[in-house]
Amino acid sequence: MSPLPVHLKISGPSERGWGPVSSSHCPCSGLPEWVWTGALAPSCLLPSAPHRPALQEPGHCPLPSLQVTSMDLWPGAWTVLLLLFLLLLFLLPTLWFCSPSAKYFFKMAFYNGWILFLAVLAIPVCAVRGRNVENMKILRLMLLHIKYLYGIRVEVRGAHHFPPSQPYVVVSNHQSSLDLLGMMEVLPGRCVPIAKRELLWAGSAGLACWLAGVIFIDRKRTGDAISVMSEVAQTLLTQDVRVWVFPEGTRNHNGSMLPFKRGAFHLAVQAQVPIVPIVMSSYQDFYCKKERRFTSGRCQVRVLPPVPTEGLTPDDVPALADRVRHSMLTIFREISTDGRGGGDYLKKPGVGEARL
């Protein structure tokens, strides 16, 4: 096998001449051993040959100035990196303008990455107070601008229905991670969401949520979830806190509402506090995960009158949940088809109604 090629910068006798050098300054001594085992071995380290000048004294080196640099060793690596950069510079704009699916993935990647970055900025500020529901104001302030980056107009109606000075439970429909935009637009003071425990491990976002007082529950462990809800009921009354719950339990991309889980309603009945329903219009005109479509658009957030729970018992919870869901679904259809909310997606035959 022939030795690997190495580019060497050598200044010969005409430049510096032959002369004695110490072993510590000999440029040959700094090269790796494999260089000396092949054709590139200098005469100072190989037996003298007829075509090589023999050393007259120890310490003489025929290569008085020899330098090896990374640029000389690997000139092709920088070329490859430059070509890759130029390729990306050309390819990304092309995909952005020519592929709606690529634009969808770019927008979602930036959305999630930007939230993680903002969480990194928020953590030191929130850490001053420690875990405190007042830190939610900081997160809200830092997230409000995102809707402008995506050209999404959020219209809020019925904000006067929030009870002015008492705890309550907010229930809202859940369509996608974009719900965060509507939530931050209308979030009342001292209100924190109840989220699945997996969010706690979502890097900087999980830590920022924990510092803001977000309540995490393990949905897989029913006993733990019930225990947490009991603690939340006490916190509502003793610390004047409001909680935001998505009773569907998971995101629903079908343009309707899933059946409600009853945890939020048990919580409200146990604490004897009102329920405030909030409805966000359909995103289907500007966002659809299945179709990989994400454009600009308009969303309406409607706050409904509070539903009292005073005097109700756990036996009344199923009827209470059905009644609240029915009122929310009626408003959802209204604001998603009036041209001022999510557009006319629900006017299409067979959409929404068939999935109830």
Side-chain angles (χ1 to χ4, degrees), residues 117-254:
F117 173 73
L118 293 175
V120 171
L121 301 181
I123 286 172
V125 182
C126 295
V128 175
R129 287 188 181 133
R131 181 170 165 82
N132 193 310
V133 295
E134 292 296 332
N135 285 331
M136 186 57 70
K137 294 180 180 179
I138 298 174
L139 299 189
R140 179 175 183 265
L141 182 64
M142 299 188 73
L143 295 172
L144 277 174
H145 72 282
I146 296 180
K147 62 180 181 290
Y148 299 113
L149 299 178
Y150 286 87
I152 298 176
R153 180 179 176 183
V154 181
E155 179 184 355
V156 178
R157 296 188 181 183
H160 61 279
H161 289 307
F162 284 120
S165 58
Q166 71 175 106
Y168 48 84
V169 176
V170 175
V171 293
S172 173
N173 58 317
H174 194 15
Q175 301 180 71
S176 78
S177 59
L178 298 182
D179 294 339
L180 184 65
L181 304 181
M183 177 192 293
M184 294 298 105
E185 195 73 20
V186 74
L187 188 73
R190 296 188 63 79
C191 181
V192 295
I194 293 180
K196 58 184 180 181
R197 189 171 182 81
E198 290 80 357
L199 180 61
L200 183 59
W201 315 115
S204 57
L207 179 55
C209 289
W210 182 85
L211 288 170
V214 173
I215 301 166
F216 299 97
I217 61 172
D218 190 346
R219 296 179 298 180
K220 298 179 181 178
R221 299 182 178 181
T222 306
D224 292 346
I226 294 175
S227 176
V228 170
M229 285 297 191
S230 299
E231 295 177 6
V232 172
Q234 295 299 321
T235 303
L236 285 174
L237 301 175
T238 59
Q239 300 184 22
D240 187 30
V241 175
R242 296 97 184 182
V243 296
W244 186 301
V245 185
F246 295 103
E248 292 173 275
T250 187
R251 300 172 188 175
N252 177 27
H253 302 282
N254 293 331

Side-chain angles (χ1 to χ4, degrees), residues 99-111:
S99 173
S101 296
K103 183 181 292 188
Y104 167 85
F105 285 113
F106 290 155
K107 284 189 171 184
M108 291 306 300
F110 178 80
Y111 178 79

